[in-house]
């Protein structure tokens, strides 16, 4: 199981933000083997670890710690793929928020979780899952998502006052003053989640670009594409995807995984048995595969990886990793660390 991947439209967005900041991203794109052909491919994807390393390279080269915020400002519905176009044609802000989150899988997949729209005491909450622990490689990811959502809502409503506050899970970064330039509302750092909290009155507001016929046509397309993605997964893979977000400082139970799959535990057990697996096998294999990805493709410490995978200590994780791979994690990282970009027809390493 990989950590996840994204449409290359996010790379195009990053390059646009760098260019609008007065710099040329061409050389860094070349270093990551990305050219106009790959960026124009509708099926091309980039691994999340590789995307984060590229963002870090851009930030370091051009001294743009607020790159993620700039990316969000450059965002547009078309950059969000089918989900963005569907949301742009929705009737109201509530429906637009649902479209952006419910069809997110069509442009990105992350083993850590998925974005969600909900209501709390009448207010709308668009939340982005936790990708802690935070470091120089992933702050910009949260910034870009929150800023992108804010930009999108401003575009489709014609207003900048829909958001009551921004909640950011990580502590205030060195560039905290930049947030005031991007968000005309309270920004709360060190929060329990990453989210935009919308005023209650904002949810029924009419979307300026609404079009009922276009919305209906795009929703049919989006539903078909989402079903195609899901049908391409075995039940084992669906279970792995349910396990991933739950592996955050704990070892998930069959009951917890079944709840995420909206199934009874016995149904999950039976369907896995039909494919020749047990729940414990899938759980162990998911931890192993994610462990390999974390060690190979990220800069997380072994202690952080141990926590993310539900191990009681870094020592316990190291023992398990050596049992799985025959190699200590430090040595494995030194030997294999790399990322990848793929298309629907092939996957290549670089």
């Amino acid at each position: 199981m990989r950590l996840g991947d994204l449409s290359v439209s996010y790379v195009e967005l990053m390059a646009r933000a760098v260019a609008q900041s007065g710099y040329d991203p061409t050389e860094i794109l070349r270093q990551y083997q990305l050219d106009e052909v790959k960026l124009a491919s509708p099926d091309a994807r980039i691994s999340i670890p590789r995307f984060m390393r590229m963002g870090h390279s851009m930030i370091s080269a051009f001294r743009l710690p607020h790159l993620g915020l700039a990316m969000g400002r450059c965002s547009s519905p078309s950059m969000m793929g089918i989900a963005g176009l569907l949301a742009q044609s929705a009737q109201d802000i509530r429906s637009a928020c649902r479209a952006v989150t419910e069809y997110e899988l069509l442009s990105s997949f992350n083993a850590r979780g998925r974005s969600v729209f909900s209501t709390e005491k009448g207010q709308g909450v668009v939340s982005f899952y936790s990708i802690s622990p935070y470091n120089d490689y992933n702050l910009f990811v949260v910034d870009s998502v929150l800023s992108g959502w804010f930009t999108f809502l401003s575009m489709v409503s014609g207003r900048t006052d829909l958001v009551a506050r921004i909640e950011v899970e990580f502590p205030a970064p060195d560039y905290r003053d930049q947030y005031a330039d991007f968000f005309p509302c309270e920004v709360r750092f060190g929060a329990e989640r990453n989210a935009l909290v919308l005023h209650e009155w904002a949810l029924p507001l009419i979307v300026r670009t609404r079009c009922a016929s276009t919305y209906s046509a795009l929703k049919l397309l989006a539903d078909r594409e989402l079903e195609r993605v899901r049908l391409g997964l075995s039940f084992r893979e669906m279970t792995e995807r349910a396990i991933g977000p739950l592996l955050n400082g704990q070892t998930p139970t069959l009951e917890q995984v079944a709840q995420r799959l909206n199934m009874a535990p016995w149904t999950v057990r039976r369907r896995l048995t039909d494919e020749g697996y047990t729940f414990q096998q899938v759980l162990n294999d998911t931890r192993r595969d994610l462990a390999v990805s974390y060690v190979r493709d990220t800069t997380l410490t072994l202690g952080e990886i141990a926590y993310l995978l539900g191990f009681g200590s870094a020592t316990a994780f190291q023992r398990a990793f050596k049992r799985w791979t025959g190699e200590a994690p430090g040595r494995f990282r030194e030997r294999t660390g790399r990322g990848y970009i793929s298309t629907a027809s092939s996957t290549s390493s670089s």
Side-chain angles (χ1 to χ4, degrees), residues 18 21 23 55-71 135-144 170 173-179 182:
V18 168
S21 297
Y23 303 99
H56 183 261
S57 296
M58 297 282 191
I59 290 169
S60 300
F62 306 120
R63 297 182 181 179
L64 290 172
H66 60 286
L67 174 62
L69 297 173
M71 287 171 62
N135 53 44
D136 291 342
Y137 289 81
N138 61 8
L139 296 184
F140 85 92
V141 175
V142 176
D143 287 344
S144 67
F170 52 79
D174 293 339
Y175 56 94
R176 65 178 302 165
D177 291 344
Q178 294 283 346
Y179 287 81
F182 290 86

Side-chain angles (χ1 to χ4, degrees), residues 29 72 114 146 204 209-210 215:
L29 292 175
R114 65 182 183 86
L146 299 183
T209 52
R210 69 192 181 281
Y215 179 83

Side-chain angles (χ1 to χ4, degrees), residues 93 147-164 182-185 196 198-209:
I93 295 300
S147 180
W149 285 344
F150 186 91
T151 297
F152 170 77
L153 291 172
S154 299
M155 283 182 177
V156 299
S157 68
R159 307 177 58 148
T160 60
D161 59 349
L162 272 59
V163 179
F182 290 86
F183 302 121
C185 62
L196 265 63
L198 282 66
H199 293 289
E200 183 175 358
W201 53 259
L203 300 182
L205 289 181
I206 297 298
V207 170
R208 294 193 307 167
T209 52

